[in-house]
């Protein structure tokens, strides 16, 4: 079992109610003051406060079923959508507004994203303040442990600000709970500088990445944040930082920041990073770690991606809302010999895991009682309609998510081979940063330094990642001639589909507001940032709105 997961289970038992409740609801009672004098009295209580922001991060950084960072980051881009399917999925039009880039400054989902992320930041600020002002002898920890906890929390706080800055640009920076009461908006470049300084000031004080740091912010997570900062620096500040991006990437590639399972390295099997034992991955840098066997903390993305009757397809007991699908045509961007095409995506007739028989739909929808067949189009096929847009879907519309695997709860037969019950069922971690992403970032930085031209090093970085997706006989390596910037963006799409980075990639490649894709036409340039939610501006008159929004 993962050491971090053991700690989470123990700390959830000792943590007070005000630390445990409320990652999934934004309408609960809020208290003005929390008395902490009787807390932080032993190492377990300290750990429960340090670890609390991680369980909350599940709510906003992963596709958790909530309007956090992930939904606007992916559903506004060119790979994924949540179309209306028959009587399901209209949801007040919020998915259409994301797809069409017509979101409003008073859109509830954007306010939820803002609130969840700032809430998480507050869950970092509170223990930072409490740890800094308390004596180690009163908490049952050493000075080394205290310094490491504070560094870890400051890095995790920086991560919250990085993702807030990604979506909203100009935001307030607050490092104390409730002080100031109404903080002012800070220009994006200043937010960037704050995040960069926080990371640099604390990276060496944080632990190296290791098995015990699974699911926690370590030196490796800090360098991954720097890679993301510098990769997007030209967009976020107006000044390119390609050499800094490469230097930060090298810290991870060389293993200087530690590794979750020994020396950090690319996993030879491209599927190992996404299965129920992906805590054994050598390339995991920072993840949301789950432990369902000993706690109720489980992956939340099933509701986002799974069909109403998904359980029999993979041999489990979890279904979904039949929501997010792959935009028509993305499936065909994968070569038929690409193992990711069938390994990460579901298309065609679905069968039951337990007996190989057709998996049937139910519930009174379009194909109730018939075999589930996921199709690479979004239209009402049952009535032979050729109209294809965000309003014309039906139950089977769209190729589906199959990248992360929960494992199987029942025995089954796959390709004639009996598969026993997976003892790690429902424990799959969600990777936020993985080494493959670092390889791609370094390659891009190298190419951008050379006006978009690849050299041998950039080509090797991408080929090292891509070759795992093909058998030796089918792998066609990139060359300095074939690895163009457009091809790099396309390969990023194939490799990192569902992982939350697509909006940022399109912005960096100048295609987010200028591009055309299925049922989407170019939008106004100011749409590269989301508006500061109007409800937040009503509560805080010191918040300035982003240009272009009322």
């Amino acid at each position: 079992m993962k050491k971090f997961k053991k700690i989470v289970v123990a700390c959830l038992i000792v943590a007070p109610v005000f630390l445990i409740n409320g990652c999934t609801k934004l309408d609960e009672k809020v208290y003005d003051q929390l008395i902490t004098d009787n807390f932080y009295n032993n190492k377990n209580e300290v750990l429960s406060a340090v670890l609390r922001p991680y369980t909350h991060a599940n709510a906003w950084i992963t596709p958790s079923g909530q309007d956090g960072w992930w939904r606007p980051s992916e559903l506004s881009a060119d790979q994924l959508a949540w179309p209306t399917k028959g009587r399901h999925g209209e949801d007040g039009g919020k998915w259409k507004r994301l797809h069409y880039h017509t979101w409003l400054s008073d859109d509830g989902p954007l306010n939820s994203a803002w609130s969840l992320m700032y809430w998480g930041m507050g869950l970092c600020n509170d223990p930072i303040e409490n740890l800094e002002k308390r004596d180690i002898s009163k908490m049952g920890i050493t000075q080394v442990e205290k310094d490491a906890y504070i560094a870890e929390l400051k890095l995790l706080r920086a991560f919250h600000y990085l993702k807030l800055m990604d979506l909203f640009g100009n935001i307030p920076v607050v490092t104390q709970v409730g002080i100031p009461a109404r903080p002012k908006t800070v220009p994006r470049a200043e937010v960037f500088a704050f995040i960069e300084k926080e990371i640099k000031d604390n990276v060496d004080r944080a632990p190296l990445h290791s098995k015990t740091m699974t699911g926690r912010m370590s030196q490796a997570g800090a360098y991954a944040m720097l890679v993301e900062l510098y990769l997007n620096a030209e967009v976020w500040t107006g000044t390119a930082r390609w050499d800094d991006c490469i230097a930060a990437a090298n810290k991870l590639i060389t293993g200087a920041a530690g590794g979750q399972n020994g020396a950090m390295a690319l996993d030879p099997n491209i599927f190992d990073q996404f299965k129920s034992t992906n805590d054994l991955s050598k390339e995991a840098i920072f993840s949301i770690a789950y432990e369902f066997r000993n706690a109720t903390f489980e992956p939340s993305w099933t509701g986002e991606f799974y069909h109403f009757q998904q359980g029999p397809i993979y041999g489990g007991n979890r279904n979904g809302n039949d929501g997010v699908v792959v935009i028509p045509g993305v499936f065909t961007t994968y070569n038929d010999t690409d193992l990711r095409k069938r390994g990460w995506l579901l298309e065609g007739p679905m069968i039951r895991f337990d007996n190989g028989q057709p998996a049937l739909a139910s519930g009174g929808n379009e194909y109730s009682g018939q075999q589930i067949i996921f199709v690479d189009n979004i239209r009402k096929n049952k009535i032979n309609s050729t109209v294809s847009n965000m309003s014309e879907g039906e139950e089977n519309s769209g190729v589906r998510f199959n990248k992360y695997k929960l494992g199987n709860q029942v025995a089954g037969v796959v390709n004639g081979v009996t598969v026993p019950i997976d003892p790690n069922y429902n424990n799959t971690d969600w990777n936020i940063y993985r080494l493959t992403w670092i390889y791609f970032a370094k390659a891009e930085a190298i190419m951008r330094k050379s006006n978009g031209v690849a050299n041998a090093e950039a080509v090797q970085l991408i080929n090292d990642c891509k070759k795992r997706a093909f058998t030796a006989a089918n792998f066609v390596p990139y060359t300095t001639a074939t690895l163009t910037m457009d091809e790099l963006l396309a390969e990023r799409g194939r490799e990192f589909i569902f992982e939350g980075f697509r909006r940022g990639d399109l912005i960096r490649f100048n295609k987010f507001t200028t591009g055309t894709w299925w049922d989407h036409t170019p939008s106004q340039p100011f749409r590269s940032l989301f508006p500061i939610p109007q409800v937040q501006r009503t509560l805080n008159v010191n918040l300035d709105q982003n240009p272009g929004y009322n």
Side-chain angles (χ1 to χ4, degrees):
M1 183 193 301
K2 306 168 195 174
K3 181 67 178 274
F4 168 65
K5 291 183 175 179
K6 288 183 179 178
I7 294 171
V8 167
V9 173
C11 291
L12 288 176
I13 293 171
V14 302
V17 172
F18 73 78
L19 285 177
I20 298 176
N21 292 340
C23 264
T24 59
K25 295 199 297 186
L26 295 175
D27 58 352
E28 63 184 344
K29 186 174 182 179
V30 178
Y31 295 87
D32 291 331
Q33 294 182 347
L34 295 174
I35 299 173
T36 59
D37 291 345
N38 294 324
F39 200 59
Y40 294 91
N41 293 322
N42 55 62
K43 188 171 182 177
N44 269 344
E45 291 183 353
V46 171
L47 269 173
S48 69
V50 171
L51 298 179
R52 176 62 179 90
Y54 293 105
T55 57
H56 179 81
N58 168 65
W60 66 266
I61 191 63
T62 75
S64 67
Q66 298 188 70
D67 291 313
W69 171 83
W70 189 89
R71 284 177 173 176
S73 296
E74 282 288 8
L75 299 183
S76 63
D78 65 348
Q79 289 189 307
L80 307 178
W82 191 323
T84 301
K85 304 184 200 70
R87 57 180 176 157
H88 301 285
E90 183 63 22
D91 297 338
K94 63 181 181 179
W95 314 126
K96 295 176 185 177
R97 291 194 293 275
L98 281 174
H99 187 79
Y100 296 140
H101 293 190
T102 56
W103 49 78
L104 309 170
S105 60
D106 61 352
D107 250 335
L110 296 178
N111 181 58
S112 294
W114 176 286
S115 299
L116 280 169
M117 286 188 274
Y118 268 107
W119 183 354
M121 178 270 298
L123 291 172
C124 296
N125 279 342
D126 183 68
I128 290 171
E129 289 184 54
N130 277 286
L131 285 170
E132 286 181 332
K133 71 183 181 183
R134 281 175 164 75
D135 189 88
I136 57 173
S137 64
K138 303 289 180 60
M139 296 186 289
I141 60 175
T142 67
Q143 187 63 47
V144 171
E145 288 174 325
K146 176 180 176 178
D147 293 343
Y149 291 150
I150 292 172
E152 176 183 351
L153 285 164
K154 287 186 174 180
L155 290 171
L156 185 58
R157 180 176 66 186
F159 177 70
H160 285 74
Y161 278 119
L162 189 155
K163 295 305 186 182
L164 278 160
M165 177 182 66
D166 172 33
L167 293 186
F168 299 105
N170 311 313
I171 57 173
V173 173
V174 180
T175 57
Q176 292 179 277
V177 176
I179 301 175
R182 293 181 176 82
K184 295 182 179 180
T185 302
V186 177
R188 200 182 208 182
E190 292 183 28
V191 180
F192 182 103
F194 166 78
I195 296 169
E196 181 184 21
K197 185 175 187 303
E198 281 283 279
I199 297 172
K200 287 185 170 182
D201 286 350
N202 290 284
V203 59
D204 291 332
R205 300 173 186 171
L208 291 167
H209 195 27
S210 66
K211 191 67 175 178
T212 59
M213 292 301 290
T214 298
R216 295 171 63 179
M217 184 59 73
S218 64
Q219 288 189 25
Y223 282 114
M225 283 193 288
L226 286 178
V227 172
E228 185 172 5
L229 270 181
Y230 298 141
L231 184 66
N232 293 285
E234 190 168 34
V235 171
W236 291 348
T237 71
T239 301
R241 301 282 294 273
W242 308 123
D243 285 328
D244 290 330
C245 180
I246 293 168
N250 285 338
K251 288 285 188 179
L252 295 160
I253 294 171
T254 62
Q260 186 164 297
N261 292 284
M264 190 172 289
L266 293 177
D267 290 328
N269 187 320
I270 202 165
F271 303 114
D272 284 351
Q273 302 153 68
F274 309 105
K275 61 187 184 182
S276 63
T277 55
N278 63 349
D279 59 304
L280 301 177
S281 167
K282 296 182 74 67
E283 70 168 272
I285 295 173
F286 178 44
S287 57
I288 300 298
Y290 300 100
E291 178 55 81
F292 182 68
R293 289 171 293 178
N294 298 287
T296 57
F297 194 44
E298 63 184 2
S300 302
W301 37 262
T302 54
E304 210 92 358
F305 297 122
Y306 280 7
H307 183 273
F308 302 124
Q309 283 80 45
Q310 189 89 5
I313 297 173
Y314 72 95
N317 66 351
R318 303 189 66 189
N319 297 308
N321 297 317
D322 201 38
V324 176
V325 305
V326 178
I327 285 174
V330 172
F331 184 67
T332 61
T333 66
Y334 291 84
N335 190 286
D336 285 343
T337 61
D338 191 329
L339 302 177
R340 297 170 298 186
K341 185 171 189 175
R342 296 292 174 181
W344 290 355
L345 304 170
L346 290 179
E347 186 268 348
M350 296 295 105
I351 61 173
R352 294 178 61 97
F353 181 86
D354 57 355
N355 58 21
Q357 297 300 306
L360 304 181
S362 63
N365 298 308
E366 295 93 340
Y367 295 96
S368 183
Q370 300 178 46
Q371 186 173 18
I372 298 168
I373 303 175
F374 296 136
V375 295
D376 188 20
N377 62 61
I378 297 173
R379 61 180 186 241
K380 297 186 185 300
N381 293 301
K382 193 174 180 75
I383 61 172
N384 297 316
S385 174
T386 59
V387 178
S388 179
N389 59 45
M390 284 288 288
S391 300
E392 293 294 314
E394 58 184 9
E395 181 180 9
N396 286 346
S397 291
V399 173
R400 306 302 175 93
F401 169 95
N402 195 38
K403 193 169 192 176
Y404 281 82
K405 312 290 199 301
L406 287 181
N408 54 291
Q409 202 176 26
V410 299
V413 177
V414 178
N415 297 324
V417 178
T418 299
V419 179
I421 293 172
D422 184 351
N424 296 290
Y425 172 71
N426 214 22
N427 290 324
T428 312
D429 296 345
W430 183 270
N431 296 314
I432 297 169
Y433 294 118
R434 57 189 180 98
L435 190 60
T436 301
W437 188 86
I438 302 300
Y439 271 55
F440 271 75
K442 181 180 178 181
E444 182 179 333
I446 290 171
M447 292 175 68
R448 290 190 182 277
K449 280 185 61 179
S450 302
N451 296 316
V453 177
N455 64 12
E457 183 179 14
V459 168
Q460 187 66 52
L461 287 163
I462 303 303
N463 281 336
D464 284 347
C465 300
K466 181 186 175 184
K467 68 183 179 182
R468 301 170 301 173
F470 296 85
T471 64
N474 290 323
F475 176 54
V476 179
Y478 285 117
T479 67
T480 54
T482 59
L483 186 60
T484 63
M485 291 300 288
D486 282 344
E487 181 55 29
L488 178 64
L489 178 62
E491 184 60 19
R492 284 189 68 92
R494 289 185 285 267
E495 178 64 30
F496 302 110
I497 190 169
F498 304 114
E499 295 189 40
F501 293 106
R502 192 58 178 177
R503 168 184 166 272
D505 290 347
L506 292 180
I507 290 172
R508 205 168 55 255
F509 282 76
N510 194 32
K511 295 182 184 295
F512 183 69
T513 60
T514 63
T516 299
W517 50 87
W518 174 80
D519 199 28
H520 175 91
T521 56
S523 57
Q524 305 99 317
F526 70 82
R527 296 283 177 176
S528 62
L529 280 179
F530 290 102
I532 307 300
Q534 186 56 46
V535 65
Q536 301 299 328
R537 297 187 67 227
T538 300
L539 294 169
N540 180 3
V541 296
N542 291 324
L543 295 180
D544 297 326
Q545 185 55 277
N546 284 326
Y549 297 103
N550 295 325

